[in-house]
Amino acid sequence: MTNISEPAWFPIALRLDGVRVLVVGGGMIAANKVRLLLAHRARVEVIAGRLDAEMQRWEDEGSITCIASTADEATLRAAMPGCRLVYAATDDRDVNRAAASIARAMNIPVCAVDDPQPSTFITPAQIHRGLVRIAISTGGAAPVLARRLREQVESTIPEGTGALAVFMQQQREHVGTACPDISRRRQVWETFLDGAGAQAARNGDASRARAILDDIIATTATRGEVWLVGAGPGDPDLLTLRALHLMQNADCVLYDQLLSPALLDRVRRDAELVFVGKRRNNHTMPQEEINAELIRRAQAGQRVLRLKGGDPFVFGRGGEEIEALLECAIPFQVVPGITAANGCAAYAGIPLTHRDCAQACLFVTGHARADGTLHLPWDSMARPGQTVVIYMGVSALPALCAKLVEHGLPAEWPAAIVERGTRADQRVLTGTLGNLPAQAARAGVASPALIIVGEVVRHRVISPA
């Protein structure tokens, strides 16, 4: 292995059975690494003048071999040949770096604990549940953060997960023989994991788990289905748990223009991603073709995720899509998402309703017709005592504001525009119907953006830092 400037990630799946590993140090820092290595069945040798209680117990049990010596250069050079890995794990950085330097010169991968600079690999924080191993790494930048994340993840992994993995391993050949089609096989396992069978396996009741699995095999047929899922207004943390679950189960995903890469990163890795989004004056795929594609894929047996920004039934054309699915008897599910009005207003600190000034809230779309005209219920919109939220209205902002004034609202009426709402780069401009269009033009506001009109804008609050 050649020396590298950036430490490589130590793969959790690396087989260490019987592999000779040298650990320099005999205290708590070294013990933490030895514990991990023993879990991977490595053959551990330790250089230390003194061992702490846990390390001493391991030596007494014969789990490790100790070279009772200080980590001087001669001892290190004599011990390292034949080692596959070296951990420099004393509480003295100079000693660790000296050991790392010798290991690098011998082309032996070395990790100096909590010191990425001389290391050629790093070890992630790890979660063990029998056969299940989960690794979390920050690339050596923040080991404490990695450990904290491990604690958070570990609290969500049931203790019986290792037994579940063993059961599934034992049943792989059985399920593979019964379900040679990979799509059907995947559906069988996912149904098993979502139901009582998985819990039985976690509890060690293999006979009941097998009976449930066989029943699923007998009753599960490969069938297509469409899931219309709202992804929320942008922040991936606003996904519902149901949405995330379906994103992990889908065979293919038809997604919109407004979805961020961070959202798509949460889709199952081997799912096919198909962009069907619409940009202004450039519809990548007409709605009729999207409907046809949903039907074609479902009829071919795929589980199709139609992933939409916001909510599927709020200016998302979800109603049109389920009507098309119903005509072809395609099973479907609809999962609501946080619509842009709720999400963007909340992140901007603007209440949509307020006891003092807004007892109603009206959602409208500001998307102009092909000829550029706006056909909206102006008289209903231009009223006090309510909030008006306008979707897809950026390009028509001057006309929207002018029409609202024309139909009775004063030019001083409060208004705001929220660009890229709920995202890290969100921008909020507040003003009035009279001056907001000019402000937006000067700032170069572009879609996606949401317009909020009403006295609630005056009640905007920003949390203190």
Side-chain angles (χ1 to χ4, degrees):
M1 176 176 178
T2 56
N3 292 337
I4 52 176
S5 58
E6 293 290 335
W9 180 66
F10 176 35
I12 187 63
L14 183 66
R15 297 185 65 86
L16 296 178
D17 304 55
V19 170
R20 184 166 167 249
V21 179
L22 181 66
V23 177
V24 182
M28 182 185 68
I29 298 172
N32 289 336
K33 298 305 177 187
V34 170
R35 192 177 303 112
L36 170 67
L37 292 167
L38 292 178
H40 284 273
R41 298 182 292 278
R43 182 159 58 94
V44 180
E45 296 182 10
V46 175
I47 295 177
R50 184 181 62 83
L51 299 177
D52 74 1
E54 188 174 23
M55 295 276 276
Q56 186 63 59
R57 176 171 59 80
W58 285 328
E59 186 189 31
D60 293 342
E61 295 171 349
S63 300
I64 65 174
T65 301
C66 180
I67 301 171
S69 171
T70 59
D72 57 79
E73 182 177 352
T75 301
L76 291 168
R77 289 190 179 279
M80 284 188 190
C83 290
R84 293 284 299 278
L85 299 172
V86 172
Y87 279 93
T90 75
D91 57 6
D92 187 323
R93 173 167 285 201
D94 291 338
V95 171
N96 290 346
R97 290 198 165 191
S101 176
I102 295 170
R104 290 171 71 105
M106 294 184 176
N107 260 350
I108 302 172
V110 60
C111 173
V113 177
D114 286 340
D115 191 6
Q117 191 275 327
S119 301
T120 58
F121 75 88
I122 55 175
T123 308
Q126 300 178 24
I127 299 167
H128 294 185
R129 291 289 190 273
L131 295 177
V132 179
R133 306 291 174 93
I134 301 171
I136 300 171
S137 174
T138 60
V144 175
L145 173 60
R147 289 195 292 270
R148 179 61 56 84
L149 292 173
R150 180 196 64 197
E151 292 168 7
Q152 294 173 359
V153 173
E154 193 162 26
S155 67
T156 69
I157 308 297
E159 190 59 39
T161 300
L164 172 61
V166 170
F167 174 83
M168 294 179 69
Q169 179 187 46
Q170 294 169 343
Q171 303 302 319
R172 283 189 68 180
E173 184 175 352
H174 170 62
V175 176
T177 301
C179 307
D181 178 74
I182 189 170
S183 295
R184 181 165 178 255
R185 187 160 65 244
R186 184 185 295 133
Q187 288 187 32
V188 165
W189 278 125
E190 288 172 353
T191 302
F192 175 81
L193 287 173
D194 290 339
Q199 189 56 52
R202 289 190 190 98
N203 294 338
D205 190 347
S207 60
R208 181 166 183 266
R210 171 61 183 261
I212 293 171
L213 178 60
D214 285 342
D215 183 63
I216 293 170
I217 292 172
T219 57
T220 299
T222 303
R223 68 165 192 168
E225 188 173 0
V226 175
W227 304 326
L228 275 66
V229 175
D235 185 343
D237 287 344
L238 295 180
L239 280 170
T240 65
L241 293 175
R242 182 64 179 163
L244 188 59
H245 176 72
L246 294 179
M247 288 165 71
Q248 288 296 308
N249 285 352
D251 297 313
C252 62
V253 180
L254 276 62
Y255 68 97
D256 283 341
Q257 165 69 15
L258 299 181
L259 297 183
S260 69
L263 279 167
L264 294 176
D265 281 345
R266 304 196 180 192
V267 172
R268 198 178 79 199
R269 293 296 179 192
D270 58 345
E272 181 184 0
L273 298 179
V274 182
F275 175 64
V276 296
K278 305 176 184 67
R279 300 180 180 90
R280 184 170 175 260
N281 298 326
N282 181 19
H283 286 208
T284 299
M285 186 180 288
Q287 186 61 51
E288 294 76 14
E289 292 185 21
I290 294 175
N291 296 348
E293 187 68 6
L294 293 173
I295 292 166
R296 182 186 71 79
R297 289 175 175 272
Q299 288 177 336
Q302 292 186 334
R303 291 168 299 172
V304 186
L305 179 68
R306 177 70 175 102
L307 194 60
K308 298 169 172 286
D311 182 275
F313 284 177
V314 180
F315 304 124
R317 305 189 75 169
E320 299 172 47
E321 291 173 354
I322 63 170
E323 287 172 357
L325 297 172
L326 278 170
E327 288 181 6
C328 295
I330 302 294
F332 65 86
Q333 298 179 41
V334 180
V335 178
I338 296 176
T339 189
N342 298 94
C344 295
Y347 274 54
I350 300 172
L352 290 179
T353 62
H354 196 287
R355 183 173 60 178
D356 295 338
C357 60
Q359 293 76 48
C361 185
L362 181 64
F363 295 174
V364 300
T365 173
H367 188 65
R369 291 181 172 182
D371 61 3
T373 61
L374 291 166
H375 184 67
L376 294 172
W378 301 111
D379 290 336
S380 298
M381 293 167 60
R383 293 178 180 174
Q386 69 177 7
T387 304
V388 178
V389 180
I390 305 171
Y391 289 67
M392 298 172 283
V394 175
S395 61
L397 181 61
L400 287 164
C401 292
K403 281 288 189 181
L404 289 171
V405 172
E406 179 184 326
H407 283 78
L409 289 178
E412 296 77 25
W413 197 249
I417 189 163
V418 184
E419 181 187 42
R420 298 185 296 274
T422 78
R423 300 184 187 182
D425 56 351
Q426 170 182 291
R427 286 198 300 174
V428 181
L429 301 180
T430 61
T432 65
L433 293 175
N435 63 29
L436 187 63
Q439 283 191 59
R442 285 195 300 271
V445 171
S447 294
L450 195 80
I451 302 159
I452 302 174
V453 178
E455 291 182 291
V456 292
V457 173
R458 293 198 183 105
H459 291 270
R460 184 189 182 206
V461 292
I462 301 175
S463 175

